[in-house]
Every structure is written in C-alpha cells, then in structure tokens.
Amino acid sequence: MKKTILLIPLTLLVLGTAACGNSSSANDSSSSKASSSKVEKKATKKNSKTKAAPAAKQTASSASSSATSDRYTTMKQAVQAKMPGAKFPSNYTAAAGKNLNVQAIGNSANYGLYLSEGSSLPFNDPSLDGLIAPVAIKKVTYATPAAAEAQINYRPVEQGLPTVSVGDNLMATEEGAAGSTYLTWAEGHWSVSLQSATINGEQPLPLANQVTSLLSKEMLPVPAGHGAISLTTTSTNTRQNSVTWREGNALYTVSSTDPIKALQTAIDLK
C-alpha cells in the first residue's frame, strides 16, 4: 500500500509537467501565427500603396493625353468645317500646361492657318488677331503651275565654293557675307539654305546636322517641281524659317519661329 501511495503523486507530477509543456508550445505557436499575421497585413498594405501610386499617375497621364487629343480634334474639325480640304498637321503636341489655339483666315483656295499655344481659346477667337503665332500654314492658288513655281526661292548648289559635311553623307557649300555664314545643300528636289550670324558667335553646323538627321528619317511633301527650305540659327519673335513647295498651281508655305518646328510641321502636314 505504501508503495502504491507514493507512485500516484509521482505519476500526476509527470502528467502535469507534460501538459504544461504542450500548453507552452501552443502559446508559442499562437504568438508566432499572430506575429506572422501582422507582418503579412503590413506587407499587404505596403504593396497596395505601392501599386496604387503608379495607377494614379497612369490615370492622370491618360486624362491629360485624352484632353490634348480632344483639343487637337476640335481644332482640326473647326478648320475643315470653315475650309474643306485644308491641310492640317496629322498631330500636334502643345507644351505642358498649354493648349493649341488656331486662327483661320480665307477659304479653301487661299488661306492662312495660325497655330499658337496658351490658355484654351475658342477657334478663331478675336484675341488671336495680331498675335505672332509661332507656326503658320499658308496656301495661295495661282492661275498656272508656272506662276506658282516662280514664287519658290529654290537655290541650286553653286560650284567652286568651299564645302563642308553636314551629315548623312551630304556636303554643303559654305560662304560668308556681312557677318553671316550660309550653308546650302540639296535634299532630293529640295534646296536647303541655312544662315548663321557668326558675328554673334552662332555656328551653323549643329543645326545643319539636326536637319539632315531629321530628313533621313522623315519625308517632306513631294513637290511638283522644286521645294525650298530656308532656315536660320538666329532666334527672334518672327517666323523667319520657312518650307515652300508647289502642288499643281497651289503654293504651300509653312513658316515658324523655330527651324525644326517648321520642318516637322511640313512633314506632318496632310
């Protein structure tokens, strides 16, 4: 009996200790699961915020792009309604925060389109009168093709003058006069004349390289006879850069305050 009495408490003690051990393991597991759950929730929230930011930027960018597209379409339709068949750039991107504005004068045979940028104004808004638009597109219809061709200031390359490479395997003649340097070269049926005021430290080659690089990738309108491109490195508030060509008995001229803008507009004109 004595031996039996001593064994029972010992057995209870062992069982109690084992039970405490399982309980401790369960608590650790529960604590681990809770901690893991918190980490997962934080990670989920962080990932959610990270994903939301680009989506918001994309939405804003899409809205801006849509507004620009709508503005361009509105202006183009207004021009076509006033002058059916008038040429207009196939695309036009205004500077950030600005809108394309258009003033149209004339009719389908003879017109002037003046493209400017600023706050959104109605088509042909009176406040555009007298404004020096950075880009102008003009069409003049003559009685005969010969009469229209005579208005093009095509400049053939002269022989015997010094030459300089302007890129794209093209050579330009170089001559100086009255503090300016003139480069002249041919691009198919087009003559390109580039004036640079060297007296003011301007250099013609960087712009010449830009022009030949652009024209090696993009195509100007095909002139019925010859076309003439006249550009300058001098920045002024006048449209002294021009691209002129003939189609039938109609003479087209794109002019701009910026030489590359003049070329790109002529390239995009449809």
Side-chain angles (χ1 to χ4, degrees), residues 40-133:
E40 288 176 1
K41 286 180 180 178
K42 287 181 179 178
T44 300
K45 288 181 179 178
K46 185 176 181 181
N47 289 337
S48 177
K49 289 179 180 178
T50 302
K51 291 177 181 178
K57 288 181 180 179
Q58 289 176 359
T59 300
S61 177
S62 297
S64 176
S65 176
S66 178
T68 299
S69 177
D70 290 345
R71 180 67 180 176
Y72 165 81
T73 301
T74 298
M75 292 295 103
K76 183 177 180 179
Q77 289 176 345
V79 169
Q80 294 294 331
K82 178 177 174 59
M83 297 174 295
K87 291 183 180 293
F88 200 77
S90 57
N91 62 76
Y92 188 98
T93 302
K98 295 187 177 182
N99 298 279
L100 169 63
N101 292 314
V102 178
Q103 182 181 39
I105 299 171
N107 53 44
S108 296
N110 300 281
Y111 60 74
L113 303 179
Y114 302 90
L115 282 57
S116 58
E117 299 177 18
S119 58
S120 182
L121 296 171
F123 172 69
N124 264 354
D125 190 82
S127 66
L128 296 172
D129 289 343
L131 175 72
I132 300 176

Side-chain angles (χ1 to χ4, degrees), residues 157-224:
V157 177
E158 293 184 35
Q159 301 299 317
L161 293 174
T163 60
V164 59
S165 172
V166 288
D168 196 33
N169 298 314
L170 294 170
M171 300 298 291
T173 59
E174 182 179 22
E175 57 183 322
S180 292
T181 296
Y182 295 86
L183 299 182
T184 304
W185 71 96
E187 289 268 2
H189 290 286
W190 293 84
S191 71
V192 184
S193 178
L194 194 160
Q195 181 264 343
S196 183
T198 47
I199 194 172
N200 296 329
E202 298 174 13
Q203 296 298 321
L205 278 179
L207 177 57
N209 293 156
Q210 275 187 279
V211 171
T212 55
S213 177
L214 175 63
L215 297 182
S216 70
K217 302 168 189 172
E218 305 276 7
M219 184 177 289
L220 285 163
V222 179

Side-chain angles (χ1 to χ4, degrees), residues 133-148:
V135 177
I137 302 163
K138 294 183 180 181
K139 175 186 179 183
V140 179
T141 302
Y142 290 83
T144 65

